[in-house]
Amino acid sequence: MASQILSSVTNRHVADKHQDLEPNIKDVHDPKYRISTDYGVRQNNTDDWLRVATEDKTGPSLLEDHAAREKIQRFDHERIPERIVHARGAGAFGHFKLFESASDVTSAGVLTDTSRTTPVFVRFSTVQGSRGSADTVRDVRGFAVKFYTQEGNWDIVGNNIPVFFIQDSIKFPDFVHAVKPEPHNEVPMAQSAHNNFWDFVYLHSEATHMYQWTMSDRSIPRSYRMMQGFGVNTFTLINEKGERHFVKFIFTPELGVHSFVWDEALKLAGQDPDFHRKDLAEAIDNGAPPKWKFGIQVIPESKEDDFEFDILDATKVWPEELVPIRYIGELELNRNVDEYFTQTEQVAFCTGHVVPGIGFSDDPLLQGRNFSYNDTQLSRLGINWQELPINRPLCPFMNHNRDGQSRHTISKGTVNYWPNRFDAVPPAKEEEGGYIDYPEKVSGMKQRMRSKKFREHISQAQLFYNSLSPQEKKHATAAYAFELDHCDDPVVYDRLSQRLADIDLSLAQTVAEMVGGTPPQKAGAQNHGKKAKGLSQVDFVPQEPTIKSRRIAILIADGFDAVAYAAIVAAIKSAGALPFTIGPRRSAIYAAGESKDHGKGVKPDHHLEGMRSTMFDSLFIPGGEQSVSTLRSAGRALHWVREAFGHLKAIGATGEAVAFVRDACELSGVKFSDGDSVVDSYGVVTQVKTQPEKLKEVVKMAKGAANFVDAYFYEISQHKNWARELDGLAEKVAY
């Protein structure tokens, strides 16, 4: 009923957030503008302060120069307090489209009306570091979505990991203090590899499940576009009948869930600390808008207590075997921000922002978040933060709140309270779309405690570790070894080595040996041996192999094979991927037989020293005797090949470049082409003798394909060649 009534006022609902923002946007390139003061007076000179001066002498500057003082004063106050957590972020606009109504469990229009297209703004972020930290650190990633619905703003303030470190929000200050740089020296920045973090999580066994996730590949995502999003907390849905269900929200990327290898992430943090920000913008600008399926896990109120775990515990997942994910919609991001500060930095999310049909549970972490998120915006943005253009709703909104710093709304009328003699701005009835709180029955004793199921902390940590693939377990072991190696207090790394025996004895013993702890001799808890789907990243691959938006580097030098180069560039573009030409210099590179005096050459996108293989998903090298000879003599070109091999990336080579790749890696276990045949060995795809007509643009990616492009693109679509690592080949190459 409420949604029907609200649909009658859609003429007042701005369907496009960009249209709503338009009055606030000024284009610096618009020729009508001239420099003016903030109060509108055009200025003739903003390069020199008004002062007493002659041609021969400079005297004192004058305080009366209001325009100069305004310019400096505005600069002095440009910065606002950064977020305590999630300070470093990137954002984009898009929309949410429902393809299946969830009216059986909720009355929320955004989740029931399949005719709607709901504008959204999404902000991704790291958690630990400051605004100036790097994108690719090992960390949880924020995944916050603001839905500008017809009934008001709905925020899902989530992460790329479905659980959290603590159960009760009262522990949040302690946790954040522990994970942030240590107080005596402000070190380390944006990483958990230090004494205080591991001391804290050991002393809070409820964190055991979460740090299994953070030591997995989930915490070093290849891209914001290739990670899942989770609402983390348990919310509720209420349908038209007044029936309540508990719900978890999930976003699963169209491109699959993929991560860096650790060495790759470490290097990128220094080589390109803005990698994730640039990756998101690049994909949107190049017509590859990222998409996620939107799903819900739903439990009827009557079955709340039917599980071994408490469904209100934020340190627990709802295994898909017990509570299947129901995918009902799609999220797409298709427009980059116009200005970072006013949009990405000033956007503010609150878990308390829900619309009719969506409510809260008694999840103790959520209860505190509902207070904390609104409170933190007050210090960052002021009491009227919800009036900022990026935060304001698209639907009509009005109340009797007044005044405060930076108030934008001009409220016309003679009353500012309720009730009033005019019945002005009355509360909304349920049939008018008024939010009705669910009449939940509550009973119990007022005391500080956690219920019995909340006190079990190991079972799901084992479930997660058991569900990992062999390569993911290998990476988790290495992650623990790295993190604890940076702890210099023996108490910290020794105790954590013992705690890991609660998860897996072999894991604990390996880590203890690596970090100098005491290897445990027996398991701290019996591992139940169970696994669950949806926990390992290998469970999430695209429905069809795709290289869309992948970054492919093509290494050339003077004398390169122009036919192979042109064919692979065309094929890459036709598959929706992005080719980048890399040469010894950024000025023109000339093909074999092309005159430098009369030819145009190819202008590389970058030179070998300006980029690294870490910044690309794959590496292709065409033949050409002179070109390959030049690359052979360049140590950096050799490093490109070896590093790409060590990072498990697909490598393609044709003609004379096949021998170059073979010699660069020097591994007897990898096979290479020696003629017409296409050889795909550990993700290294080679063909010595290529035929131009077979380097086709129309691609049918397949394992073991006879066509070079088909075989090579298939390997790129697999993201990494894990066999190369599991068979010990990657570690034999110095990179």
Side-chain angles (χ1 to χ4, degrees), residues 26 113 115 140 163 203 399 428 459 480 528 571 573 594 619 634 648 728:
K26 294 181 180 180
D113 185 353
S115 68
V140 184
V163 292
L203 294 169
N399 52 47
S459 178
Y480 280 115
H528 50 62
K573 290 180 177 179
E594 184 180 14
L619 179 61
L648 315 179

Side-chain angles (χ1 to χ4, degrees), residues 89 173 176 228 276 310 315 321 379 425 453 680:
V176 174
Q228 284 184 290
H276 282 153
D310 195 310
T315 68
E321 290 82 357
S379 64
V425 193
K453 289 182 180 179
D680 180 352

Side-chain angles (χ1 to χ4, degrees), residues 417-467:
Y417 55 90
W418 178 261
N420 59 68
R421 62 189 180 281
F422 304 106
D423 282 342
V425 193
K429 300 175 183 178
E430 182 176 4
E431 59 268 21
E432 295 176 314
Y435 189 93
I436 305 298
D437 292 288
Y438 180 78
E440 178 186 4
K441 182 179 179 180
V442 179
S443 63
M445 301 295 291
K446 183 169 67 174
Q447 53 186 322
R448 297 182 186 273
M449 68 166 292
R450 301 182 196 184
S451 56
K452 182 178 180 180
K453 289 182 180 179
F454 268 75
R455 299 197 292 270
E456 197 288 308
H457 303 147
I458 301 301
S459 178
Q460 287 209 355
Q462 294 177 346
L463 182 72
F464 176 76
Y465 184 78
N466 294 346
S467 302

Side-chain angles (χ1 to χ4, degrees), residues 343-460:
Q343 295 174 327
T344 305
E345 183 62 22
Q346 288 196 145
V347 71
F349 301 87
C350 286
T351 55
H353 285 180
V354 295
V355 293
I358 303 172
F360 312 112
S361 74
D362 294 330
D363 175 344
L365 184 63
L366 174 61
Q367 296 281 314
R369 291 183 82 196
N370 284 347
F371 165 78
S372 178
Y373 279 72
N374 182 71
D375 187 56
T376 195
Q377 310 308 341
L378 302 182
S379 64
R380 291 187 60 243
L381 304 170
I383 191 65
N384 286 302
W385 63 271
Q386 295 188 84
E387 292 191 3
L388 292 170
I390 191 64
N391 294 322
R392 68 188 175 212
L394 291 180
C395 63
F397 61 99
M398 182 66 174
N399 52 47
H400 298 292
N401 296 336
R402 291 292 187 274
D403 306 340
Q405 187 176 18
S406 301
R407 174 74 168 176
H408 299 289
T409 301
I410 300 171
S411 301
K412 184 179 179 180
T414 59
V415 292
N416 56 0
Y417 55 90
W418 178 261
N420 59 68
R421 62 189 180 281
F422 304 106
D423 282 342
V425 193
K429 300 175 183 178
E430 182 176 4
E431 59 268 21
E432 295 176 314
Y435 189 93
I436 305 298
D437 292 288
Y438 180 78
E440 178 186 4
K441 182 179 179 180
V442 179
S443 63
M445 301 295 291
K446 183 169 67 174
Q447 53 186 322
R448 297 182 186 273
M449 68 166 292
R450 301 182 196 184
S451 56
K452 182 178 180 180
K453 289 182 180 179
F454 268 75
R455 299 197 292 270
E456 197 288 308
H457 303 147
I458 301 301
S459 178
Q460 287 209 355

Side-chain angles (χ1 to χ4, degrees), residues 195-401:
N195 292 323
N196 286 0
F197 171 76
W198 288 105
D199 180 45
F200 178 91
V201 297
Y202 173 81
L203 294 169
H204 293 77
S205 59
E206 67 200 70
T208 307
H209 187 197
M210 179 62 170
Y211 63 72
Q212 293 296 317
W213 285 80
T214 58
M215 292 302 103
S216 78
D217 293 341
R218 295 274 189 161
S219 61
I220 46 172
R222 155 61 179 84
S223 167
Y224 292 138
R225 304 174 294 113
M226 300 174 193
M227 66 184 194
Q228 284 184 290
F230 302 91
V232 179
N233 295 115
T234 300
F235 289 83
T236 60
L237 299 176
I238 302 92
N239 62 20
E240 292 281 7
K241 300 177 183 178
E243 298 168 333
R244 187 171 75 148
H245 292 72
F246 296 97
V247 65
K248 294 256 190 187
F249 301 115
I250 302 100
F251 298 91
T252 297
E254 173 191 57
L255 295 175
V257 180
H258 304 294
S259 293
F260 293 120
V261 294
W262 180 230
D263 184 74
E264 192 178 11
L266 275 176
K267 290 175 176 175
L268 271 172
Q271 294 166 351
D272 191 356
D274 304 303
F275 183 87
H276 282 153
R277 291 184 176 192
K278 291 157 62 176
D279 170 86
L280 177 64
E282 178 183 77
I284 294 172
D285 284 341
N286 283 279
K291 299 178 182 180
W292 290 260
K293 294 188 298 179
F294 172 75
I296 55 175
Q297 286 179 290
V298 175
I299 296 174
E301 188 175 26
S302 60
K303 296 187 177 181
E304 176 183 359
D305 300 319
D306 290 1
F307 304 90
E308 293 180 354
F309 54 92
D310 195 310
I311 67 169
L312 305 182
D313 183 352
T315 68
K316 305 293 195 301
V317 295
W318 297 357
E320 290 184 43
E321 290 82 357
L322 301 178
V323 189
I325 299 176
R326 174 182 170 186
Y327 287 104
I328 61 172
E330 182 180 79
L331 172 71
E332 176 181 312
L333 299 181
N334 49 31
R335 177 168 171 157
N336 286 311
V337 299
D338 294 302
E339 185 181 28
Y340 183 89
F341 179 80
T342 52
Q343 295 174 327
T344 305
E345 183 62 22
Q346 288 196 145
V347 71
F349 301 87
C350 286
T351 55
H353 285 180
V354 295
V355 293
I358 303 172
F360 312 112
S361 74
D362 294 330
D363 175 344
L365 184 63
L366 174 61
Q367 296 281 314
R369 291 183 82 196
N370 284 347
F371 165 78
S372 178
Y373 279 72
N374 182 71
D375 187 56
T376 195
Q377 310 308 341
L378 302 182
S379 64
R380 291 187 60 243
L381 304 170
I383 191 65
N384 286 302
W385 63 271
Q386 295 188 84
E387 292 191 3
L388 292 170
I390 191 64
N391 294 322
R392 68 188 175 212
L394 291 180
C395 63
F397 61 99
M398 182 66 174
N399 52 47
H400 298 292
N401 296 336

